[in-house]
Structure formats: structure tokens, C-alpha cells
């Protein structure tokens, strides 16, 4: 690992991948609250609907979010791929949402953002909550 002046790591090529500085591929709770993006919940339908919540003290989903369970990442539908505008994925703690990002990238869409704090951060901050199944609103 090469270092810059000041001891900071310098981005390097690793195999065919170039690692870069910056975190422009993530958003925080404030950005999600501001709106302007379609929010995708990567958790199982039961957690999204608020029927069960094994980890956090509050069950449900971020208001307006669509449910795209991470197990469906290999078959993301064409409407979602073609959806104009920004997409933000979240899950329980920011890990399984990365599977959605990988699925989108494999399908040619590399601009999906991650909310790494995800549901755990959202409810800890007292964010608004919706419950019930995904109603399949038009993209």
C-alpha cells in the first residue's frame, strides 16, 4: 500500500480493479429524508411489511420505499433498471443492500447509491416508519 504525504493511503490498482478515494456512492439519513431518489429496501418482504423485526426495536420500512429483496438481485426487472433518476438501496444494517448494488452493476447500472446506516440507523434517529406490503407503485 503506497502512502501519500501525511501518511494517507494512495489508491492503487488491485488486479483489474482500481481503488479510489471518496464516498460519493453512499448517502446518509439526511439525504434520504430530503427525497429526490427512489428508495429500495433489500430486506425480506416480512421485514419490509413490519410483520417481523428480529434486530431493531421498530418494524416497518422507510416511507415510500419499494421492496426489492436482495435474493432477487440476479433478476432485477427491466423497469427498475430503466428507472430514471437516482436509486438508493438500504437493508437492515447496510450489508445485504450491497447485493442489490452488485446486481444492478452486473446488469449495467452502476449509479445505485447505498445508505449504509440502513434501517438500524433510520429507526435509531427516529425516522418516519411505514408498515404493510409493497403496493407495487409505478416507478
Amino acid at each position: 500500500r503506497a502512502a501519500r504525504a501525511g501518511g494517507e493511503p494512495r489508491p492503487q490498482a488491485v488486479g483489474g480493479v482500481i481503488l479510489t478515494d471518496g464516498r460519493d456512492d453512499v448517502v446518509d439519513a439526511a439525504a434520504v429524508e430530503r427525497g429526490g431518489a427512489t428508495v429500495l429496501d433489500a430486506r425480506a418482504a416480512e421485514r419490509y411489511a413490519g410483520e417481523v423485526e428480529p434486530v431493531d426495536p421498530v418494524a416497518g420500512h422507510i416511507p415510500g420505499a419499494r421492496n426489492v429483496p436482495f435474493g432477487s438481485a440476479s433478476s432485477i426487472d427491466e423497469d427498475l433498471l430503466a428507472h430514471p433518476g437516482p436509486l438508493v438501496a438500504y437493508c437492515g444494517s447496510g450489508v445485504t443492500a450491497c447485493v442489490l448494488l452488485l446486481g444492478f452493476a452486473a446488469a449495467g447500472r452502476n449509479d445505485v447509491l447505498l445508505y449504509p446506516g440502513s434501517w438500524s440507523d433510520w429507526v435509531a434517529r427516529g425516522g418516519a416508519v411505514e408498515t404493510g406490503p409493497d403496493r407495487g407503485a409505478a416507478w
Side-chain angles (χ1 to χ4, degrees), residues 29-139:
V32 173
E33 287 176 336
R34 281 193 297 274
T38 298
V39 179
L40 308 174
D41 186 319
R43 298 174 302 154
E46 299 81 23
R47 285 185 76 189
Y48 171 90
E51 296 168 5
V52 60
E53 180 46 63
V55 179
D56 293 300
V58 179
H61 59 270
I62 294 173
R66 293 293 312 274
N67 190 215
V68 182
F70 76 94
S72 66
S74 63
S75 59
I76 295 170
D77 70 40
E78 292 297 320
D79 287 341
L80 189 50
L81 281 172
H83 177 66
L87 298 173
V88 173
Y90 79 96
C91 55
S93 62
V95 177
T96 56
C98 292
V99 176
L100 281 187
L101 273 65
L102 180 61
F104 277 100
R109 185 158 181 178
N110 296 310
D111 63 341
V112 181
L113 304 172
L114 175 67
Y115 170 26
S118 288
W119 186 246
S120 292
D121 179 62
W122 187 261
V123 298
R125 294 172 175 276
V129 174
E130 272 185 356
T131 58
D134 190 332
R135 293 180 181 83
W139 295 106

